[in-house]
Amino acid sequence: GQQLNQSPQSMFIQEGEDVSMNCTSSSIFNTWLWYKQDPGEGPVLLIALYKAGELTSNGRLTAQFGITRKDSFLNISASIPSDVGIYFCAGQLTGSNYKLTFGKGTLLTVNP
Amino acid sequence: DSGVTQTPKHLITATGQRVTLRCSPRSGDLSVYWYQQSLDQGLQFLIQYYNGEERAKGNILERFSAQQFPDLHSELNLSSLELGDSALYFCASSVGPGGPYEQYFGPGTRLTVT
């Protein structure tokens, strides 16, 4: 089945630093989604990407849909303490079923 | 607030028991998805319903079943519970086929089987 490799597993950074995380897949997706999850809460959608090569921003967050359709990355600029949480990538094949295949997540810790 | 509601927030029950988790999708969304999140398996897709009909199945055990009602709320039934069923269960909703395809997640139900 489809597998997503998300890296890094965890990051410890200082407030104000930029962050980059990525996901790679063994097969193609035609939608990539990035979510953030706080402890005990549900994943919150950050960015959705629909076209290969697409670059989309949401405030300090920027995500790109890889040209091969097998990868995506998420950048966070000028991190702040409230960026702490687990970030998940998810791939979706629309047109058949619409289930999301999730990466294992990146745990981000921001030191003030 | 995603607009997806789930009840209960927490559920503690014993092995062998049966429980029902409830989900109400965002207003206007016709598709409901159930996911299980555990430490070892991460977030795993269980089952999808669209407008009352089952659309797709993932890694859902035979002891588990779900349905979507005419008012579009969904219930996930877990029976003959085992210790390993302890996990967070999330419901997500989206508009449905034809897009947009973003899925919005509820706050989850934490199930503890003792």
Side-chain angles (χ1 to χ4, degrees):
Chain A
Q2 295 163 325
Q3 293 184 351
L4 290 187
N5 295 309
Q6 185 171 351
S7 64
Q9 284 188 324
S10 61
M11 302 182 74
F12 297 84
I13 63 170
Q14 294 297 124
E15 183 177 357
E17 291 183 352
D18 297 344
V19 171
S20 184
M21 59 192 78
N22 69 83
C23 269
T24 58
S25 170
S26 57
S27 54
I28 64 172
F29 290 106
N30 51 23
T31 300
W32 282 94
L33 304 169
W34 284 91
Y35 289 87
K36 178 175 182 272
Q37 185 177 24
D38 292 328
E41 303 293 328
V44 174
L45 181 64
L46 300 174
I47 290 180
L49 302 158
Y50 294 110
K51 291 172 60 175
E54 178 181 358
L55 186 70
T56 297
S57 293
N58 178 8
R60 294 179 294 105
L61 276 61
T62 301
Q64 184 158 28
F65 191 146
I67 292 177
T68 65
R69 295 170 64 192
K70 292 184 177 181
D71 62 329
S72 178
F73 72 75
L74 175 71
N75 285 341
I76 305 174
S77 63
S79 58
I80 59 178
S82 62
D83 290 335
V84 166
I86 302 177
Y87 291 79
F88 291 97
C89 61
Q92 185 182 51
L93 270 178
T94 55
S96 53
N97 68 61
Y98 297 82
K99 70 169 188 175
L100 296 177
T101 300
F102 281 89
K104 294 292 188 185
T106 295
L107 173 61
L108 178 63
T109 303
V110 180
N111 296 317
Chain B
D1 185 350
S2 67
V4 179
T5 61
Q6 287 187 250
T7 57
K9 181 74 170 173
H10 300 279
L11 199 49
I12 301 175
T13 189
T15 55
Q17 295 298 304
R18 171 189 167 96
V19 297
T20 297
L21 313 183
R22 183 187 169 104
C23 165
S24 291
R26 293 187 317 159
S27 176
D29 284 358
L30 300 179
S31 276
V32 169
Y33 309 77
W34 287 97
Y35 292 85
Q36 180 192 58
Q37 186 176 36
S38 61
L39 282 176
D40 55 341
Q41 295 293 323
L43 272 158
Q44 297 283 323
F45 168 73
L46 295 178
I47 196 164
Q48 176 201 359
Y49 278 82
Y50 171 70
N51 205 19
E53 294 189 2
E54 182 185 303
R55 266 298 180 106
K57 270 187 172 180
N59 302 320
I60 188 167
L61 300 172
E62 286 191 10
R63 301 183 284 109
F64 296 179
S65 64
Q67 57 185 127
Q68 186 179 27
F69 294 87
D71 67 352
L72 301 177
H73 91 270
S74 178
E75 292 181 357
L76 179 67
N77 300 297
L78 314 177
S79 61
S80 302
L81 286 167
E82 303 174 358
L83 294 177
D85 297 328
S86 295
L88 274 165
Y89 291 85
F90 290 105
C91 164
S93 74
S94 69
V95 170
Y101 305 112
E102 299 100 10
Q103 293 182 21
Y104 294 87
F105 282 74
T109 294
R110 180 176 293 281
L111 174 66
T112 302
V113 182
T114 61

